[in-house]
């Protein structure tokens, strides 16, 4: 199964690079959906011997949320708030790609020097998870729009979920569902907030939001 | 030996093939497949016009690039080990390709035309991004197989390698294909058919060459394309047939398939804006680097 695991992990890294390199928001959203599918399938490839019903249900819910619902909500926010689909980065796309690859190199080096006390099911899983996490944080700070911040947050969250897959073979069902519900509400609220920000400030540029308004 | 002669003979055919694919997609009949051969013959019969500002460097450019590319052919395995092989010959191959770029750029600067200087600067900027990509792509194969010459890599390719490291090889294949597009100045990076000086890269550097010198340049660029396609076919095609002739035929078939893919990309995509080109070329380095992480873990 290592071939499949590697394939899914590389898909996740490629989705990271896609988010970093793309200059259009809809394309970034598609990358996020793609990453969600790869992440949702990952547990089956990692633990082929432990496929249970609740695992399958959980994966289904997770994939539906991350590949269908979130992209749909984000696209709707994009349309309703009439956001210009240009990404407008602070850090250019070329440099962002370099940062993406560097984050992977950094995480590979990190886990080489400081191996975890537990043995993760794939030696590439932890580096990819941490690099996804870093890319999410980078997107949060290096892009101008409120919508890209939601996007960065979701990439960040994907990183956390991948990390969790390596540490815990099975998180209790309720915990996982709770996390998913949390993210769902976060995205939901962000969609509404973006709409309201647009109304109050007439812009989504976070640089303009320096003062409070009622 | 045969593969080298085949390369010298068949390289201009690739350009004809790409043009045919593009014509098919545009609903035209297209130029004859052998058009480049006729063009080369015509150019060879013509006189050369030399500007008074040029020095011998101007003619050295095409000559040197042609010589280096023919040497490259001697290092390339196709359907059998290459004419020359020794540990580290891929570094020589990359060095020779860099020499071709250097010679072309030097000849372009020698004309004293500002347009050619601009083209030269772009060519070097793209080269600076493409070369690390090529080194990394070959480095991945070397680390994976633990052999250090192109002909040995040719012998090591196969289904076993694809089974144990298919993902790595697929990433390398994509990286090499992107580099092929960049190095042979095909569409997402450069448009060989455009003649608007503001946007061209390779074509602008050869504006002042004429007659036999231009023929040498055209021939050299088709050889470059051939080398890129053979590199993909010889290092990554997974099947060994056992018979030398069948191996050669299969290798050639893959070369033509790669060419068709180039034609397909050209017909279905638009040229990238100049600002996005570095990103496109840099992507090949990123893919190779990713493959390298997969190999060394």
């Amino acid at each position: 199964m290592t071939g499949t695991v590697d394939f899914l992990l590389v898909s996740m890294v490629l989705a990271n690079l896609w988010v970093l390199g793309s200059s259009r928001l809809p394309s970034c959203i598609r990358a996020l959906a793609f990453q969600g599918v790869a992440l949702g399938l990952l547990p089956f490839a990692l633990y082929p011997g432990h496929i249970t019903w609740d695992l399958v249900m959980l994966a289904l819910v997770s994939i539906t949320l991350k590949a269908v619902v979130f992209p749909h909500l984000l696209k709707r926010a994009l349309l309703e708030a009439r956001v210009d689909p240009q990404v407008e980065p602070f850090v250019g796309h070329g440099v962002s790609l370099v940062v993406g690859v560097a984050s992977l190199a950094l995480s590979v080096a990190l886990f080489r020097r400081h191996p975890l006390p537990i043995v993760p099911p794939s030696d590439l899983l932890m580096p990819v998870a941490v690099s996804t996490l870093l890319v999410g944080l980078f997107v949060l700070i290096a892009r101008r729009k409120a919508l890209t911040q939601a996007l960065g947050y979701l990439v960040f969250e994907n990183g956390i979920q991948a990390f969790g897959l390596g540490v815990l073979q099975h998180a209790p069902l309720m915990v996982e569902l709770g996390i998913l519900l949390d993210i769902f509400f976060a995205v939901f609220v962000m969609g509404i907030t973006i709409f309201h920000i647009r109304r109050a400030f007439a812009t989504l540029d976070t640089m303009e939001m320096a003062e409070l308004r009622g | 030996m045969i593969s080298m002669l085949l390369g010298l003979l068949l390289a201009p055919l690739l350009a004809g093939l790409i043009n045919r694919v593009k014509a098919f997609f545009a609903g035209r009949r297209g130029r004859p497949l052998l058009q480049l051969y006729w063009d080369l013959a015509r150019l060879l019969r013509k006189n050369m016009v030399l500007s008074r500002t040029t020095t011998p460097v101007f003619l050295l450019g095409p000559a040197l690039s042609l010589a280096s590319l023919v040497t490259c052919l001697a290092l390339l395995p196709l359907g059998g080990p290459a004419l020359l092989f020794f540990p580290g010959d891929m570094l020589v191959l990359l060095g020779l390709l860099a020499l071709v770029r250097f010679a072309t750029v030097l000849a372009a600067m020698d004309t004293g035309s500002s347009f050619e200087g601009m083209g030269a600067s772009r060519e070097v900027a793209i080269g600076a991004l493409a070369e690390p990509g090529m080194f990394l792509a070959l480095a991945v194969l070397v680390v994976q197989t633990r052999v250090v010459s192109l002909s040995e890599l040719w012998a090591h390719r196969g289904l076993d390698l694809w089974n144990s490291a298919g993902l790595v090889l697929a990433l390398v294949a994509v990286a090499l294909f992107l580099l092929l597009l960049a190095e042979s100045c095909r569409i997402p990076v450069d448009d060989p058919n455009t003649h608007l000086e503001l946007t061209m890269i390779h074509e602008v550097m050869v504006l002042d060459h004429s007659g036999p010198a231009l023929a040498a340049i055209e021939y050299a660029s088709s050889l470059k394309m051939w080398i890129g396609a053979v590199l993909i076919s010889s290092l990554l095609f997974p099947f060994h047939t056992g018979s030398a002739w069948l191996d050669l035929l299969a290798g050639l078939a893959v070369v033509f398939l790669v060419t068709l893919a180039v034609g397909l990309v050209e017909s279905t995509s638009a040229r990238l804006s100049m600002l996005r080109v570095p990103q496109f070329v840099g992507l090949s380095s990123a893919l190779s680097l990713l493959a390298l992480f997969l190999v060394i873990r």
Side-chain angles (χ1 to χ4, degrees), chain A residues 66 70 153-154 157 178-188:
Chain A
K66 290 193 168 170
F70 292 168
Y153 170 72
L154 285 172
E157 203 283 324
I179 295 172
L180 281 176
L181 195 69
D182 260 8
I183 312 165
F184 177 69
F185 273 110
V187 175
F188 201 66

Side-chain angles (χ1 to χ4, degrees), chain B:
Chain B
M1 192 64 203
I2 300 166
S3 68
M4 189 176 163
L5 288 178
L6 274 177
L8 290 174
L9 206 65
L10 292 180
L13 191 62
L14 299 188
L17 203 61
I18 291 180
N19 274 323
R20 265 301 169 86
V21 175
K22 285 170 79 173
F24 172 79
F25 270 84
R28 292 180 279 117
R29 259 182 56 212
R31 289 178 250 177
L33 270 179
L34 301 181
Q35 184 64 46
L36 189 53
Y37 292 95
W38 308 135
D39 285 350
L40 290 177
R42 178 174 54 87
L43 284 172
L44 281 177
R45 275 184 280 120
K46 286 194 169 184
N47 282 335
M48 253 191 293
V49 183
L50 289 177
S51 145
R52 257 173 291 134
T53 38
T54 57
T55 61
V57 174
F58 183 66
L59 286 182
L60 186 72
L64 194 59
S65 24
L66 199 55
S68 330
L69 286 167
V70 173
T71 320
C72 282
L73 277 187
L75 294 170
L76 269 185
L78 175 68
L83 199 60
L84 290 173
F85 60 93
F86 44 89
D89 55 2
M90 61 262 287
L91 297 182
V92 178
L93 183 90
L94 295 184
L96 285 170
L97 287 178
L99 188 63
V100 172
R101 176 174 286 124
F102 178 69
T104 318
V105 164
L106 220 54
M109 308 264 273
D110 192 50
T111 58
S113 143
S114 50
F115 270 138
E116 304 212 6
M118 199 173 66
S121 109
R122 285 175 184 162
E123 171 83 6
V124 173
I126 290 177
L129 290 163
E131 275 167 18
M134 291 216 270
F135 273 100
L136 282 170
L138 289 176
V140 171
L141 292 178
V142 167
V143 176
Q144 177 70 41
T145 55
R146 304 266 158 202
V147 296
V148 283
S149 101
L150 288 170
S151 295
E152 283 179 290
L153 279 177
W154 172 83
H156 265 78
R157 84 206 149 87
L159 271 181
D160 290 344
L161 196 59
W162 274 93
N163 278 335
S164 58
L167 192 60
V168 171
L169 294 189
L171 285 172
V172 171
V174 175
L176 281 179
F177 186 69
L178 296 185
L179 287 169
L180 166 68
L181 291 175
E183 281 284 317
S184 52
C185 312
R186 306 311 305 195
I187 256 184
V189 176
D190 187 9
D191 188 350
N193 292 328
T194 180
H195 274 276
L196 175 67
E197 291 90 338
L198 285 175
T199 59
M200 21 193 219
I201 302 173
H202 182 258
E203 297 305 309
V204 76
M205 291 198 300
V206 302
L207 270 183
D208 283 82
H209 291 273
S210 53
L214 186 59
I217 288 171
E218 296 276 342
Y219 187 53
S221 58
S222 64
L223 279 182
K224 214 170 176 183
M225 169 106 210
W226 175 267
I227 289 168
V230 168
L231 217 51
I232 296 180
S233 145
S234 292
L235 301 184
L236 299 166
F237 180 61
F239 299 108
H240 282 282
T241 51
S243 126
W245 287 105
L246 279 178
D247 266 352
L248 187 61
L249 270 183
L252 282 179
V254 177
V255 168
F256 287 122
L257 278 181
V258 171
T259 315
L260 285 182
V262 173
L264 219 65
V265 169
E266 288 221 356
S267 342
T268 52
S269 63
R271 209 194 127 146
L272 292 171
S273 82
M274 202 60 88
L275 288 174
R276 308 275 301 183
V277 166
Q279 235 176 292
F280 178 84
V281 184
L283 189 62
S284 65
S285 303
L287 291 178
S288 310
L289 212 56
L290 189 55
L292 199 60
F293 286 136
L294 274 177
V295 176
I296 60 174
R297 295 283 161 126

Side-chain angles (χ1 to χ4, degrees), chain A residues 23-155:
Chain A
S23 62
R24 316 284 296 176
L25 281 172
S27 161
C28 287
I29 294 175
R30 271 198 294 280
L32 197 69
F34 175 70
Q35 193 172 46
V37 174
L39 186 63
L41 295 177
L42 201 53
F44 300 118
L46 282 175
Y47 305 109
H50 298 87
I51 299 175
T52 51
W53 271 110
D54 51 339
L55 198 65
V56 174
M57 292 306 290
L58 205 62
L60 273 181
V61 172
S62 161
I63 290 178
T64 330
L65 272 183
K66 290 193 168 170
V68 183
V69 180
F70 292 168
H72 179 73
L73 283 175
L74 288 174
K75 271 203 183 126
R76 228 180 102 151
L78 196 69
L79 284 179
E80 284 193 355
R82 267 177 263 122
V83 186
D84 172 29
Q86 207 72 24
V87 167
E88 296 179 50
F90 286 123
V91 183
H93 296 294
V95 182
S96 300
L97 277 177
V98 173
V99 168
V101 175
S103 79
L104 187 64
L106 190 77
S107 355
V108 169
L110 182 75
F111 283 99
R112 275 207 156 186
R113 286 198 62 172
H114 308 288
L116 290 174
I118 50 150
V119 181
S122 154
D123 45 4
L124 208 61
L125 174 64
M126 290 302 171
V128 168
V130 172
S131 120
T132 308
L133 222 130
L134 291 175
V135 167
L137 286 176
F138 180 76
V139 171
L140 268 173
I141 58 172
R143 301 284 184 264
R144 266 186 117 90
K145 293 211 159 114
L147 199 71
T148 39
Q149 308 212 331
L151 212 82
Y153 170 72
L154 285 172
V155 174

